[in-house]
Amino acid sequence: MSTFQHIKPAGKAQFKDRHTTKAAELLTPYTEGSKGDVAIIGAPLSKPSISHSGASFAPDVIRRCLNSFTTYNIEEETDISSRKIIDFGDITMHPTSIEDCHQRIYQSTKEVAQAQAAPLTIILGGDHSITTSTVKAIKETKGTVGIIQLDAHHDLRNTEDGGPTNGTPFRRLIEEGHLKGEHLIQIGIRNYANAKAYHDYAIENGVTVYTMKDVRQRAIAELIQSALSQLESKVDTIYLSVDMDVLDQAYAPGCPAIGPGGMDPDTLAEAVQQAIKHPKVQTMDIVEIDPTLDTRDMTSRIASLLIINSLVK
Amino acid sequence: MSTFQHIKPAGKAQFKDRHTTKAAELLTPYTEGSKGDVAIIGAPLSKPSISHSGASFAPDVIRRCLNSFTTYNIEEETDISSRKIIDFGDITMHPTSIEDCHQRIYQSTKEVAQAQAAPLTIILGGDHSITTSTVKAIKETKGTVGIIQLDAHHDLRNTEDGGPTNGTPFRRLIEEGHLKGEHLIQIGIRNYANAKAYHDYAIENGVTVYTMKDVRQRAIAELIQSALSQLESKVDTIYLSVDMDVLDQAYAPGCPAIGPGGMDPDTLAEAVQQAIKHPKVQTMDIVEIDPTLDTRDMTSRIASLLIINSLVK
Amino acid sequence: MSTFQHIKPAGKAQFKDRHTTKAAELLTPYTEGSKGDVAIIGAPLSKPSISHSGASFAPDVIRRCLNSFTTYNIEEETDISSRKIIDFGDITMHPTSIEDCHQRIYQSTKEVAQAQAAPLTIILGGDHSITTSTVKAIKETKGTVGIIQLDAHHDLRNTEDGGPTNGTPFRRLIEEGHLKGEHLIQIGIRNYANAKAYHDYAIENGVTVYTMKDVRQRAIAELIQSALSQLESKVDTIYLSVDMDVLDQAYAPGCPAIGPGGMDPDTLAEAVQQAIKHPKVQTMDIVEIDPTLDTRDMTSRIASLLIINSLVK
Amino acid sequence: MSTFQHIKPAGKAQFKDRHTTKAAELLTPYTEGSKGDVAIIGAPLSKPSISHSGASFAPDVIRRCLNSFTTYNIEEETDISSRKIIDFGDITMHPTSIEDCHQRIYQSTKEVAQAQAAPLTIILGGDHSITTSTVKAIKETKGTVGIIQLDAHHDLRNTEDGGPTNGTPFRRLIEEGHLKGEHLIQIGIRNYANAKAYHDYAIENGVTVYTMKDVRQRAIAELIQSALSQLESKVDTIYLSVDMDVLDQAYAPGCPAIGPGGMDPDTLAEAVQQAIKHPKVQTMDIVEIDPTLDTRDMTSRIASLLIINSLVK
Amino acid sequence: MSTFQHIKPAGKAQFKDRHTTKAAELLTPYTEGSKGDVAIIGAPLSKPSISHSGASFAPDVIRRCLNSFTTYNIEEETDISSRKIIDFGDITMHPTSIEDCHQRIYQSTKEVAQAQAAPLTIILGGDHSITTSTVKAIKETKGTVGIIQLDAHHDLRNTEDGGPTNGTPFRRLIEEGHLKGEHLIQIGIRNYANAKAYHDYAIENGVTVYTMKDVRQRAIAELIQSALSQLESKVDTIYLSVDMDVLDQAYAPGCPAIGPGGMDPDTLAEAVQQAIKHPKVQTMDIVEIDPTLDTRDMTSRIASLLIINSLVK
Amino acid sequence: MSTFQHIKPAGKAQFKDRHTTKAAELLTPYTEGSKGDVAIIGAPLSKPSISHSGASFAPDVIRRCLNSFTTYNIEEETDISSRKIIDFGDITMHPTSIEDCHQRIYQSTKEVAQAQAAPLTIILGGDHSITTSTVKAIKETKGTVGIIQLDAHHDLRNTEDGGPTNGTPFRRLIEEGHLKGEHLIQIGIRNYANAKAYHDYAIENGVTVYTMKDVRQRAIAELIQSALSQLESKVDTIYLSVDMDVLDQAYAPGCPAIGPGGMDPDTLAEAVQQAIKHPKVQTMDIVEIDPTLDTRDMTSRIASLLIINSLVK
């Protein structure tokens, strides 16, 4: 194409400012042996969702929203243009076997973890059902897993009523022996958003539960610190699971299960920032964004910013 | 239908988690003698609105949004699955006589109040014009009425310029002798959202007015406490009128008269929660939600949560 | 509720004209032994779709659109207000096992067919993957099945590449021995909408294929007549499968796989009308409407009219 | 403003091509004694509609859509830039008294008719309820009225069930003695869009009814000619009432009561063109466009073209 | 990526049917010396448009819509999976100099034409202003140009009132001496869509004008044949310029200047098909699609089909 | 029109409450010698924007949103109904020469400034590229200019990569010698929203930069006070440039470059209120609202309120 002065390949951006690096430019497709600061892998699965969900579109949209950010952190006066986001691409899903999909997520997450491409791996859902598969893979790769879950919901539903839906990931992990209840810390659980039975299940299994009332009354930093302290000596690795519906509906209009009374994005960003600085926090997922329901990709933009923030771990 | 294992009646939910009670399941159609914790009645009228309004769709949407909430209050560790919302249904409206509609609302509210089905009755508008009819009915049933109005607007317009529109309910109550000005307390009145003449009218008639500046500068709890104290000894019953446009446009995109500078939903919820705990607060309305303008029923979701919150009165 | 003059149960229509019967009023929930003119059953399944599809919402929307039609056929001067649409309701789907969903559709269709509630049963999809299950059930109940398929696509894809998706129903029927190729007649197949391999498969298996060119060049009545003549002596029962994407995108904006060059609704209605008059046409499906993509339910409105038309069989 | 070279008053078009006259430029506000080729008056009333309708926005939108057309008829090689559309403005509506609104429409139409500003007056609805008022006014001004109604519906509903709604205009005219049944000719009446009782009423009262089947089977020109012949010797003036829902939903997505099986815009335009050439056709209305439901003002654009076409009467 | 069984690069399609070739797979990025059946080049420029236009997004969307079509022409039983669409990519535009943009289009079209990559080059606009630049480039490469323009508008506006807008391309070509009026044939020109002055200009300059009335009254094949016959002996090369607003608004909702009374897509497809079979038709453009205004990319889908159809030239 | 009791001119509001003055009624078209409290002028230019922008529609929408506010400031108990907003109208733009557009903005702003119609002039963009022209005009009229810029972005991009885009206004002012870096104070600059090179440029040129972190950690009043103190003795006039994307995406969904982490509207209003009280703040612009992307004109409503607030300067 070099012979043509004013033609660019289809799909490339029209405008390029010579001094500006877009965060999307940090994306580097994985090839064997690649090393970077963060690795991402898409798990575009939302057929297990209880309600109709287009969360399978989120990995592409979150990547695209990285174009809305530059690499310069003016608040810290840090330029991250030399950081690398190793992009493993997306896990291919089986159109009609959800069991197979979960198996592929498990296998692929394991392969990605084994590739050790970066100190932090971010899995982009997809719905929350993916987390059983990813945590299982992480456990087999890195040892005992502790989880800090930012979520409006327990996601501890019984599996008799629908199998491995997006309401069950942590229940399945506990029941299948991949996770101890006391290694699970839930932050942001919301009023009238969960059944009593599942709160009871959480308590009976030693799960630590911080509600939105806790978030409102105590500094988020304190809750995260408490969670990290509780887990760090007991587990080999910490997994941060970010269900975007922990945010209030005014800030995250693109989550399937929106509602009032949630967190604001600054609080979520602070929580994530603080958590990933801990050396044992090595895996993170971002789930439950349905771009077909969103307003101007606002929810995905927040997700993209969480990824970028993670580069200054 | 019992002979078919996998068939459900049309209109019923596809998925049922055995441990989860949706708030919508608390709805119990009224039959003679029914008793419950809260009674609701829809007043789907918006033709009196000055601007084009689909607020008549709100009762159905608010009921439907009760499906987005469970019955478990995790912050108080209270399960309300045994509470009952007695649903009287909707008042049928005359397609072309607004006068007749207001009369029907008056008569039906009176009948509902007389049925004494619950300690708190919630009327779901519709636009704010319904409140003249409902308050009149309450007064005739329960005696002198005091009103706490959460609203961006005075709703004290003259009636010469359009008759009983949604801008006039409290003016009509005062002029028709159903309400004393000193028994009306307005909270959340917003800048540049009302005419001076109507503020003057309020002051001249002894109406208590708290602006958004008051809300921002003083705790909402203090304003509500002040309102309750002011009214409790003077009136027989207190009516809480919630115009959802008291909320900021970012939180309540579904109100016809949106604007910046309003309340946030946590503040509104706190105000309502506190007020309805008072034994004299026996009636409440929720008005001015137009679902055709809303984003993902956000405004109706907040209304549904206000209903649910009222069950722990 | 009888004591209240102006109150109606929640969910019932506000306005009732005493002389008008809405087609939706013909819906009669099935109870054992019910008999009617047409039976309907919803198969709200779209998770097997290759692309993201909300076709699972269609049965509810199609039923609701019956409210947009009356029971009076002015062109024939026939009032069908005494006809009955026996409504079996919807098949409940398993949230995470598509295999189970297909099995439930098979079992439920069989039960519905055995109930013999009406001379014509209409299955409301859902996506086209349901047709393997429904035809199998019909075959086991009524004997050899011939199919007239109105569709832009062959739906004869291989199943290795995704299992029982919405691209495979007729292939699976043939491969599993439930259908002979010569008993399948496809009408409306569109240019550049299918792979050559699947046209080859159709031809090799004796399937009759009429493209849109055939539709444009010959009267639809002639094609349908030819299809009926071809099948009537060879099969015990004829199944009419209507994939709404046989329509042009301008008329059916709510199909997942829209495109130009399709049929207009009058032609489709004529085809369906003519076919169902044949005594051997006893089952019909209407599939591939995604109400979340539609413009003002236009596509579902056409589907509703097809149901109504079928009442003058 | 003349001193500023590059500033124009707010609200004026940015771009002006010196050789192009937009049809909107033909609009001339009425002042006493104004004469033009067509007169228009808006009747922005839709509160009488049975279903929620924003048809009150149509007069403004139809006027604005006149900006999408020029004044040159290339098919006839006729420039109509010297024609005048006398714009009487809009009738002001009472916000809460529909009876008063209808009275104002009656009075204003009479005043407009008496002003004799043009050989053809076009009333822009609003919903179809306005036609009782306008026809009554025309009758009192011009004598016996015959009506050619292009409509999917009879609009002959009883008035006990809702008063003067948009389903009743012609019934009210007949019952109140302003119109004889034999002076009403309905064209485009659609299947399953009306109750038998109202077809019976039409027939019993001598109304001529042409269904869409008639439209499809006979040339529209023949139907219109037949209607004109039938009326011209019996009435003093002919009123053309155009309910835009006579069009198919694919062409007129902005009508409240859309459906398949309707007319296409060329047929409608031909019908209107032919009718208004008749010297006794002196009044016309265009009703039932709800711009809040439309796609890119398509339905209003067709209405605007009908107005423009009428200038070459 | 080969080591991972179930991972694909970001941006690649999730589902692949082994027997199906999507038309988008025929796209082959140009490299020096590439030869194919059709060449495409995007000219994503819409800032010159008189009205706000997002036509600059069209090249990307049209390419993406090629994924909605396969390579099998069932009507002709022809598989075009071995054809190649040489994709030159998009011309980069200057953000603030429209003059520079037009110059780049001119230069790039010339370079593309000189590359002689295919017998037919299709330029994807962008708005119609691009055609002055492209035709000029073609003329300098291939000699005297004749143009068949499918369009609702003359696009012969004066340039004093706005410079090289999308209303002027053919005027500029004539005035700048690149095109003789008698070498321009316009088909589909619509009533009340053009100023008389520009029709006069057309006639005075020998331009052949076929209106929509001509299209309705004569077979499109006859008009195209007439155009080809008229041009073939007089020019060296024929340029087909397809302004999508030649289509009726019901079929092409995504054009900035939509309106009723236009062509249907089958007629347009037939016209294009017939024209490009002529050996002198070597260049074509498709302009005036604004994807931000479209309904489900319907207009771009038609454009994609025109490209595919051109492969069986 | 006076002879008709119930008719109003087209385009005028339907409903008028005799005691309510809408803020839009304060708009007074400029005529020579007009004096008022604030002057406004629209600069509807967005073609220079790097990304597709409809900001050219903003002046009209902001004016229209003035209808959503009254003239009564209840918090200060001040009625502003006697204040005047002198409306100069909109600058006409050249459709294809952006250079010419900028020149017209320069010239017109100068003429408006020289007219001295009000102590504060507000220029309604349009995109931010207009500010080079307006500031240049102000400098030539009023002397040395200091700028307080409320913005998420530096807008100090190099001009080689696109000319005078909306990313360059302050760079151009500095480079062309119209502004000293030390006379520019930027408030609200956001993380990952700017290139390091432009922050470096700011620092090297003496620009004062307050990030969102500064806004969060210090009272906005303190930052504005600091800015005013810094500038007041050094410049002749202060220009307040309000890029609405300084707001968080949840509050300003209508800005082209939305993102999380921005200011809330109360903070912005406070900043503007405080700044314009300073006698040297004589000009202000409000830019980067694209009404085609907004939700219910929320962003324009905030802009309208900023204008109204400025009347109590």
Side-chain angles (χ1 to χ4, degrees), chain B residues 27-32 34 38-42 63 85-91 108 111-118 121-122, chain C residues 1 3-4 6-10:
Chain B
L27 289 170
T28 313
Y30 174 78
T31 52
E32 216 181 319
S34 292
V38 162
I40 65 169
I41 172 83
R63 280 188 192 92
I85 305 173
I86 303 297
D87 188 353
F88 279 85
D90 286 334
I91 305 168
S108 301
E111 288 165 351
V112 166
Q114 286 163 347
Q116 296 190 305
T121 298
I122 301 177
Chain C
M1 205 77 58
T3 54
F4 303 135
H6 293 302
I7 299 184
K8 58 155 203 65

Side-chain angles (χ1 to χ4, degrees), chain D residues 262-282:
Chain D
M263 215 174 264
D264 67 74
D266 284 350
T267 302
L268 175 60
E270 188 186 344
V272 171
Q273 277 288 81
Q274 183 184 356
I276 59 176
K277 283 193 177 134
H278 193 287
K280 283 206 168 162
V281 176
Q282 292 153 342

